[in-house]
């Protein structure tokens, strides 16, 4: 009797541990925010929006990640390219994630970048390298959310910088000429 109780308790503990290990505790994200898109410190679009749909997975004892879509209305490739999962790395009081949009063989190659953001992706500063915009590839595009104009975008970036002072700016990320 005592032995079967220990076996049952062991199976229960093992099952609970496996459940906690594999279950990711997803949090749904479905939001639309205004964004400001900048190229080399000049605003190139004040009227864009970002639509994020998906889930933030927060597995215990493993790295959190966002899986879903991030479509920026002024950047057409974000509507047709696949967004790879955004793995969240703690940087000060905010997170950073490497961003990769992958196109098919008929489209341009990958567009990569880095995003500095809060835990729920409501506020972010996204840098994209060699991103197509209105027929030309830009060396670096900065997307700031939520922001409705360049002044508001600067305030958002400064709030993020207070939480992570080492966050790079566009000048640091651009290749030296």
């Amino acid at each position: 009797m005592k032995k079967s109780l220990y076996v049952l308790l062991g199976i229960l503990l093992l099952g609970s541990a496996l459940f906690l290990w594999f279950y990711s505790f997803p949090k749904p994200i479905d939001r639309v925010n205004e964004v400001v898109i900048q190229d080399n410190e000049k605003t190139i679009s004040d009227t864009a929006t970002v639509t994020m749909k998906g889930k933030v997975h927060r597995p215990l004892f493993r790295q959190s990640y966002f899986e879903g879509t991030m479509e920026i209305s002024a950047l057409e490739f974000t509507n047709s390219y696949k967004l790879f999962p955004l793995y969240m790395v703690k940087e000060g009081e905010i997170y950073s994630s490497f961003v990769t949009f992958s196109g098919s063989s008929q489209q341009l190659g990958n567009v990569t970048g880095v995003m500095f953001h809060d835990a729920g992706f409501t506020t972010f500063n996204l840098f994209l390298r060699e991103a197509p915009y209105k027929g030309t590839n830009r060396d670096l595009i900065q997307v700031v959310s939520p922001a409705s104009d360049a002044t508001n975008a600067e305030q958002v970036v400064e709030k993020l910088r207070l939480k992570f002072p080492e966050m790079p700016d566009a000048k640091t990320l651009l290749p030296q000429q």
Side-chain angles (χ1 to χ4, degrees):
M1 178 77 173
K2 206 174 194 184
K3 186 176 179 180
S4 64
L5 183 64
Y6 286 131
V7 169
L8 183 62
L9 185 61
I11 291 172
L12 217 80
L13 285 174
L14 180 64
S16 297
L18 287 173
F19 172 78
L20 291 174
W21 180 260
F22 287 107
Y23 190 70
S24 64
F25 301 98
K27 176 185 173 194
I29 299 232
D30 187 3
R31 70 173 49 94
V32 177
N33 289 344
E34 285 185 297
V35 296
V36 169
I37 300 175
Q38 298 177 325
D39 176 18
N40 296 340
E41 299 202 21
K42 14 178 230 197
T43 301
I44 58 175
S45 175
D46 277 335
T47 59
T49 59
V50 62
T51 304
M52 288 189 76
K53 291 183 181 182
K55 292 183 179 179
V56 174
H57 298 270
R58 299 183 190 283
L60 292 177
F61 314 114
R62 291 180 287 156
Q63 193 172 17
S64 299
Y65 63 95
F66 170 78
E67 194 167 38
T69 61
M70 179 171 54
E71 297 176 356
I72 302 168
S73 62
L75 301 174
E76 291 180 22
F77 71 90
T78 62
N79 299 326
S80 57
Y81 283 28
K82 178 185 187 232
L83 176 67
F84 281 78
L86 305 177
Y87 287 90
M88 302 163 61
V89 177
K90 188 84 165 158
E91 303 280 3
E93 295 178 38
I94 62 173
Y95 295 89
S96 68
S97 298
F98 287 105
V99 178
T100 301
F101 286 95
S102 181
S104 69
S105 59
Q106 292 87 19
Q107 298 163 324
L108 296 172
N110 296 342
V111 176
T112 61
V114 64
M115 178 191 300
F116 299 93
H117 55 87
D118 60 7
F121 294 93
T122 45
T123 303
F124 65 79
N125 185 16
L126 168 64
F127 296 99
L128 293 172
R129 296 289 316 233
E130 300 188 18
Y133 179 75
K134 294 191 176 181
T136 61
N137 273 6
R138 308 291 176 132
D139 288 336
L140 185 73
I141 289 180
Q142 180 178 4
V143 181
V144 181
S145 174
S148 56
D149 57 34
T151 305
N152 194 255
E154 285 179 34
Q155 293 170 348
V156 169
V157 170
E158 284 309 311
K159 285 180 186 175
L160 288 171
R161 188 164 277 121
L162 287 174
K163 295 178 179 183
F164 179 53
E166 291 85 31
M167 182 175 68
D169 58 7
K171 289 178 189 169
T172 308
L173 293 173
L174 276 172
Q176 298 299 321
Q177 304 275 334

